[in-house]
Amino acid sequence: MKCVARQLASSVVCGLLFWAGGVAAQGPVCSEADAEALQWLARTVKSRSEVAYQGVVTLQRGDDMQVVQVARSLADGYSSEHLTRLTGQGAQVVRPHHPLNCTHPGEQLLTLGDRVEAGDCGLARYYRFEVGPGERIAGRQSVKLEIQPRDMYRYGFLLELDQDTALMLRASTLGRGGKILERFQFADLSYDEPLEPRSGMDTVHPAAHPHPDDPTAGARLSVPWIVSWLPNGFTATDAADPEGPRRTYTDGLAVFSVFLEQLPRELRPGEGLARLGSSLSYTRGMHLADQPVLVTVIGEVPVNTARMVADSIRVAR
Amino acid sequence: MTEQLRESLSALMDDEATELELHRVLGELESDAALRQTWVRYQLARSAMGGQPVSHARLDISRSVSAAIAAEAGAETSRSSLRERWVRPLASLAVAASVTAVVVLGGQQLYQAGSLEGQSAPVAASGVSAVGFVNSLGAVPMRASYGAQAVPQLEPAARTAYRELARQRMYQYMQEHAEHAALNSPQGLIPFARVPQIEE
């Protein structure tokens, strides 16, 4: 893994991004609650390299509930994680051997706790935070972060973190009017040495590890394209191949991906929408450089974000 | 065009705009060419989702919308207070519905005229196997025999087809999205639990 060098490089990139954003902002807006919440979020990210655990998590989306087992272990500067579906499909996702010093752009956006005093409010420019005592979850006392978006381009969240370890015990995604779109929470949690991944699963998927600075090799289109508009605060998760079919963006809490397909024939222009919990699939038939294309935005963002992003796709010049 | 206007515009598309936003957008549409252009693009995108094509070439979104609202508002003020209490929620819905109807119609006028960004008249979705929803379009290959009639007849089918397309794409792309979400949001591997069917 070359992630150490990579990480340095991408820190520089991110630093520039933050600096540019800081110029645009109209002075610091962070309240005490914002600063406290940002520190909690930074601790949550840090806990990834400090806390080993295993537990059972429920994921609720509307009437649908899934149960998964998750575990993380730490050794010799690496973490190993796995997620095993206990309901429905017999599938497992594993991420063995991830360097602890490898942080991705989304994590970097969340680890701004120590910069707040310097007037950089980071995420507090896009979200309003409240911090308060949370409930007991999976037998652990929690701290509750209420997170309200400051614009229409992202959802709100209710995050409850372990008071001692900052591990995220429960996360609810809130749509308009505080409606819960998705909620995951630990039903059972222990900080003992984690289980080995279960054997005998039908499907075992090793999670990909895209480098922030390395375009992923894969299919290429004949037209280089750009997304010319993003909601404030969103940044690319990895360097985009200008002719690659995918882009992914994050503001640290929300993530969405844009996929472009070139169609061999004309498709009637139009748009379609499918939702599953907080996840959205927005598909749009349109033209790019006089060629018919299908744009799909997948992610945990409201539909107006997806529509405006799709609307902003242009040929790269 | 300000961010706020674009927000309001998008909200209007989803029938989620407040009356305040509505009036602001209508006021701006008169004078802001860029906003009108954005509006028309949204409407083009949406035109497959319902409504019937209109033959008039003239676009007068804001005036017809204002008229629709004025009519609704007039109807509302004449109600007795008791009745108003019951009817008001329905009346607001009606305002939203009529605005959408008028506006969608407006977008389609342009669409039919084919005057935007050199796009030709709508193409009946013929043989779109590449995107995999030929069947859900029903009797698609009608372009030869039905000629110009094909487009209006496809309206409801195209709407269903696009919804189906979005659903299929969610299955197709959710795992690739999760690969990146898992590294860039604070929930660890949980984004993979959103994938309908995990592939190796």
Side-chain angles (χ1 to χ4, degrees):
Chain A
M1 291 273 173
K2 293 173 284 184
C3 204
V4 181
R6 299 280 177 206
Q7 191 239 333
L8 281 177
S10 68
S11 291
V12 172
V13 171
C14 288
L16 285 172
L17 283 176
F18 290 139
W19 176 77
V23 171
Q26 306 136 354
V29 286
C30 26
S31 66
E32 252 172 64
D34 290 342
E36 191 185 352
L38 291 174
Q39 270 160 15
W40 274 107
L41 287 174
R43 277 190 65 189
T44 299
V45 173
K46 264 180 82 183
S47 79
R48 275 194 166 189
S49 56
E50 292 170 353
V51 180
Y53 64 85
Q54 57 155 305
V56 173
V57 169
T58 60
L59 179 73
Q60 206 170 343
R61 299 184 291 180
D63 294 336
D64 176 61
M65 181 155 94
Q66 280 192 56
V67 184
V68 295
Q69 185 184 57
V70 290
R72 177 169 62 208
S73 59
L74 305 167
D76 308 324
Y78 291 91
S79 69
S80 295
E81 288 180 280
H82 63 89
L83 173 147
T84 308
R85 280 201 158 138
L86 299 180
T87 50
Q89 188 196 11
Q92 186 170 66
V93 178
V94 293
R95 189 191 301 289
H97 225 60
H98 187 249
L100 292 183
N101 59 10
C102 175
T103 53
H104 292 261
E107 292 174 306
Q108 291 172 3
L109 288 168
L110 290 184
T111 49
L112 287 173
D114 46 352
R115 295 173 52 168
V116 168
E117 281 170 20
D120 184 347
C121 303
L123 273 184
R125 276 188 264 139
Y126 319 114
Y127 296 96
R128 217 170 269 120
F129 295 92
E130 293 286 336
V131 183
E135 292 174 26
R136 266 172 79 82
I137 300 163
R140 308 285 304 179
Q141 193 57 50
S142 72
V143 173
K144 182 166 72 178
L145 307 187
E146 288 174 57
I147 307 179
Q148 292 291 334
R150 290 184 187 269
D151 59 25
M152 294 173 59
Y153 303 123
R154 49 209 115 208
Y155 290 132
F157 300 93
L158 195 59
L159 306 182
E160 285 156 282
L161 314 177
D162 190 312
Q163 205 167 41
D164 295 325
T165 65
L167 183 72
M168 198 174 286
L169 299 175
R170 177 155 73 190
S172 313
T173 308
L174 309 174
R176 276 209 165 206
K179 186 184 173 201
I180 296 181
L181 303 173
E182 175 191 276
R183 168 179 276 178
F184 94 83
Q185 82 175 75
F186 275 93
D188 181 47
L189 169 66
S190 96
Y191 289 112
D192 302 333
E193 196 47 36
L195 297 170
E196 283 300 302
R198 291 180 182 224
S199 52
M201 305 304 297
D202 301 337
T203 305
V204 177
H205 169 70
H209 187 229
H211 275 294
D213 307 325
D214 252 357
T216 326
R220 303 190 81 201
L221 310 176
S222 64
V223 182
W225 58 287
I226 54 161
V227 172
S228 65
W229 178 87
L230 286 173
N232 286 330
F234 276 84
T235 185
T237 61
D238 52 349
D241 173 358
E243 289 168 7
R246 178 199 54 82
R247 310 275 191 274
T248 303
Y249 302 94
T250 181
D251 69 354
L253 292 172
V255 186
F256 67 87
S257 300
V258 186
F259 297 89
L260 190 73
E261 294 166 57
Q262 287 177 306
L263 305 176
R265 292 191 198 158
E266 284 295 331
L267 177 71
R268 199 195 147 129
E271 65 176 4
L273 187 67
R275 292 176 199 271
L276 199 58
S278 61
S279 299
L280 165 88
S281 169
Y282 171 87
T283 288
R284 167 115 161 231
M286 53 193 258
H287 285 83
L288 187 69
D290 290 332
Q291 294 179 41
V293 295
L294 192 71
V295 174
T296 302
V297 179
I298 303 263
E300 290 65 48
V301 287
V303 62
N304 49 319
T305 310
R307 181 184 289 121
M308 287 176 60
V309 166
D311 194 52
S312 81
I313 288 178
R314 303 277 181 276
V315 178
R317 301 200 190 278
Chain B
M1 175 176 35
T2 65
E3 284 297 302
Q4 223 177 7
L5 275 172
R6 278 159 66 111
E7 282 179 6
S8 303
L9 203 58
S10 185
L12 197 55
M13 291 281 300
D14 300 323
D15 289 344
E16 285 186 342
T18 62
E19 293 220 1
L20 200 67
E21 286 170 324
L22 185 60
H23 286 290
R24 196 175 57 210
V25 170
L26 292 179
E28 289 293 328
L29 271 176
E30 297 272 3
S31 55
D32 188 336
L35 186 69
R36 270 202 304 275
Q37 198 67 15
T38 307
W39 181 247
V40 166
R41 276 205 307 278
Y42 289 173
Q43 294 307 332
L44 274 176
R46 195 168 175 167
S47 60
M49 296 184 72
Q52 56 277 15
V54 207
S55 51
H56 319 290
R58 186 164 153 63
L59 177 77
D60 186 7
I61 297 174
S62 47
R63 200 169 308 154
S64 14
V65 173
S66 300
I69 290 172
E72 289 293 340
E76 209 169 310
T77 47
S78 66
R79 281 179 195 115
S80 73
S81 62
L82 177 64
R83 194 183 152 157
E84 196 177 338
R85 223 177 304 150
W86 287 94
V87 175
R88 188 180 278 279
L90 289 176
S92 322
L93 272 184
V95 170
S98 52
V99 166
T100 305
V102 172
V103 162
V104 166
L105 239 68
Q108 291 208 344
Q109 289 172 352
L110 251 201
Y111 187 53
Q112 290 300 308
S115 61
L116 187 88
E117 291 171 10
Q119 289 185 19
S120 51
V123 181
S126 47
V128 279
S129 55
V131 288
F133 65 101
V134 160
N135 286 339
S136 58
L137 267 177
V140 168
M142 57 166 72
R143 59 194 187 286
S145 49
Y146 285 79
Q149 301 271 317
V151 174
Q153 287 187 17
L154 278 174
E155 292 286 354
R159 184 180 174 157
T160 310
Y162 261 107
R163 205 179 298 137
E164 172 63 15
L165 203 52
R167 203 186 59 80
Q168 287 178 9
R169 288 307 181 268
M170 181 174 272
Y171 270 76
Q172 184 179 333
Y173 289 134
M174 190 55 113
Q175 183 159 335
E176 194 175 346
H177 169 66
E179 304 279 13
H180 299 270
L183 290 166
N184 290 284
S185 60
Q187 293 114 330
L189 291 177
I190 293 295
F192 282 100
R194 298 186 184 124
V195 179
Q197 186 79 17
I198 294 171
E199 309 286 340
E200 285 196 27

